[in-house]
Amino acid sequence: MKFSIGGPLKLAFRPWVEGLGNIPAEGPAILASNHLSFSDSFFLPAVLDRKVTFIAKAEYFTTPGVKGRMTAAFFKGVGQLPVDRSGGRGAGEAAVRSGIDVVERGELFGIYPEGTRSPDGRLYRGKPGGLARVALATGVPVIPVAMIDTEKIQPPGKVMPKLMRPGIRIGEPLDFSRYGGMEHDRFVLRAVTDEVMYEIMKLSGQEYVDIYATAAKRRIAEAAKAQKQAQKEAQKEADRARQAADQEQAGQEQADKEQTGS
């Protein structure tokens, strides 16, 4: 990926980077980033000398057809790990186990604490499962990362990217060794996650919203559905009004003809 895509990607988009020295030259660490666009998983590894392994939704590996096979081959080729997000607690356990395996190999593990892409460019509440549990179970530092303007390059649903400069701001490593052995305490998991999200917010300058991005997407979808339904009802009402006006006009024309004939 670095040679075939990373080079052309940097040449075409010229991403700027701050805090590159906060990434260790060797040894394990967790990179916790905000998530604005599908391209986040390309730009961040492209500017680093080391490999970053992210967990990716299983659909990228199981979609049928030629495009699906090409997508699966690409993600396998760059070492991404499939996780089935539909399995509730089982999915969370798989993500944690995958992250621990990567860290125990001495590598960089990348994770998006929001759990999904931001629907509107704002920063949403981090999910306390994967990030905090991997950090506390392994004792490795968490490095906050802020992706800047990647949502403007390739918004969700858009295929062709827009040529502009994204930014990557890398913060100083966070040490959570004081919470060692407490990876099953939900209050500690929440505290660790919130601290990381606060650092990401400072780096990114995003507005913070204290709800999960999945809930925000659900609300947006429900609002869009309600608006569409309201538009349909308004159209029906307009059609009924037009039909009534046409009937009234036809009746008036018939009355005029009868009056003229008499």
Side-chain angles (χ1 to χ4, degrees):
M1 192 276 241
K2 290 183 183 295
F3 288 105
S4 64
I5 297 178
L9 198 71
K10 290 191 289 185
L11 183 63
F13 292 93
R14 299 180 299 115
W16 56 266
V17 187
E18 294 178 1
L20 198 57
N22 290 323
I23 302 294
E26 58 183 22
I30 299 171
L31 305 184
S33 173
N34 59 340
H35 198 12
L36 297 172
S37 169
F38 173 80
S39 60
D40 293 337
S41 298
F42 294 87
F43 282 112
L44 179 57
V47 301
L48 303 181
D49 292 332
R50 300 183 59 187
K51 174 184 175 181
V52 183
T53 299
F54 287 91
I55 51 176
K57 60 183 180 181
E59 291 88 335
Y60 288 143
F61 299 83
T62 58
T63 302
V66 176
K67 182 179 178 181
R69 289 195 294 272
M70 291 177 64
T71 301
F74 172 79
F75 277 94
K76 289 176 183 176
V78 296
Q80 305 308 282
L81 304 173
V83 172
D84 183 358
R85 302 188 301 178
S86 64
R89 183 172 176 79
E93 292 295 335
V96 171
R97 186 66 254 170
S98 296
I100 291 175
D101 289 344
V102 172
V103 169
E104 288 181 343
R105 294 198 300 265
E107 300 175 4
L108 298 178
F109 175 58
I111 189 169
Y112 301 113
E114 292 168 280
T116 187
R117 283 175 284 180
S118 170
D120 54 13
R122 296 186 293 177
L123 183 68
Y124 285 85
R125 194 181 197 203
K127 293 189 174 183
L131 165 65
R133 287 184 60 191
V134 174
L136 298 185
T138 60
V140 302
V142 177
I143 301 174
V145 177
M147 306 301 296
I148 312 292
D149 290 337
T150 53
E151 82 282 10
K152 298 176 183 177
I153 292 176
Q154 190 176 30
K158 297 294 183 181
V159 178
M160 294 302 295
K162 177 182 178 182
L163 283 177
M164 60 176 292
R165 293 190 73 186
I168 302 172
R169 203 170 273 131
I170 303 169
E172 295 183 1
L174 303 174
D175 178 15
F176 294 107
S177 59
R178 62 189 183 277
Y179 295 124
M182 304 175 70
E183 62 267 23
H184 298 293
D185 186 318
R186 63 188 181 94
F187 296 106
V188 171
L189 296 178
R190 181 77 266 163
V192 169
T193 305
D194 287 346
E195 184 174 337
V196 174
M197 297 309 295
Y198 180 71
E199 292 301 321
I200 293 175
M201 181 188 70
K202 289 197 300 182
L203 291 169
S204 68
Q206 290 171 277
E207 176 186 350
Y208 179 75
V209 186
D210 197 23
I211 61 172
Y212 293 124
T214 48
K217 287 185 175 181
R218 189 162 52 247
R219 291 182 185 180
I220 291 172
E222 290 172 353
K225 183 178 179 181
Q227 183 180 18
K228 187 175 181 180
Q229 184 61 35
Q231 289 173 342
K232 289 175 64 176
E233 292 298 328
Q235 185 61 49
K236 287 181 181 179
E237 186 62 32
D239 291 342
R240 285 194 292 265
R242 186 165 51 252
Q243 185 178 18
D246 290 344
Q247 290 175 348
E248 182 179 354
Q249 183 177 358
Q252 184 62 47
E253 289 175 355
Q254 183 62 32
D256 290 344
K257 287 181 181 179
E258 293 174 355
Q259 184 176 5
T260 301
S262 62

